[in-house]
Amino acid sequence: MKGDLFSSEYMVQPASTVGMSVQNAKSIRYAVNGEMLARQGAMIAYRGNLQFERKGQGVGGMLKRAVTGEGLALMVVRGQGEAWFAQEAQNCFIVDIDPGDVFTVNGRNVLCFDASLSYEIKTVKGAGISGGGLFNSVFTGQGRLGLVCEGNPLVIPVSPQYPVYVDTDAIVGWTANLQTSLHRSQSIGSMIRGGSGEAVQLMLQGEGYVVVRPSEATPQKPQQH
């Protein structure tokens, strides 16, 4: 075969090491030797001896998902082989998490991660039900986390002198030691006149980083299992 499609730019070469790597801007490759976790339905191809099994969320996770419509529906991938993951042609990125790190991320942005990482679905402090994204996934431990985002995300430093205000539909995640609360930037008078469309934001204070997508979130499609 000839043509640009079969050039080295697109041809997949064998993985040199076990674990996660960015295949291209829209997909992540994971060379599996044991097990890893991924978003349900995110596998686009694999080779080798791999099994895919739905992972339960536990009673607490199921309750939070039922209340908010959000959550992190996962599958466990076991065996030896390679798998590729993607989500609706969104851009893919990898975060390295070290012992002592805490990274809070919206479940809609999680693609896959090492089994060595621990995660817990927690309430976003200060957000309240009206804040959107009431429950986020908190990752700790040591390993790699694959994320997706519609476009290239913004990583904004947060300092005690300069808190950052983020639209609740645009936030991807943030690092430890940041405090969250709701901030209302629109007056009652403006709301009565029809509003600006930017009534409430999530305020982050402290020392760290916040990751923001370059657009507001679009409604999620129902997942099929």
Side-chain angles (χ1 to χ4, degrees), residues 88-134:
E88 297 181 345
Q90 296 184 52
N91 290 3
C92 295
F93 306 89
I94 293 177
V95 175
D96 289 293
I97 297 177
D98 295 318
D101 290 344
V102 180
F103 188 61
T104 299
V105 60
N106 195 303
R108 68 181 172 229
N109 297 105
V110 174
L111 183 64
C112 56
F113 57 93
D114 291 340
S116 58
L117 290 177
S118 298
Y119 74 96
E120 185 178 0
I121 300 175
K122 288 189 175 182
T123 304
V124 178
K125 293 182 179 179
I129 293 177
S130 63
L134 178 61

Side-chain angles (χ1 to χ4, degrees), residues 180-197:
T180 58
S181 61
L182 279 187
H183 174 77
R184 191 175 299 278
S185 60
Q186 187 169 261
S187 67
I188 298 298
S190 177
M191 293 176 65
I192 293 174
R193 291 191 295 272
S196 65

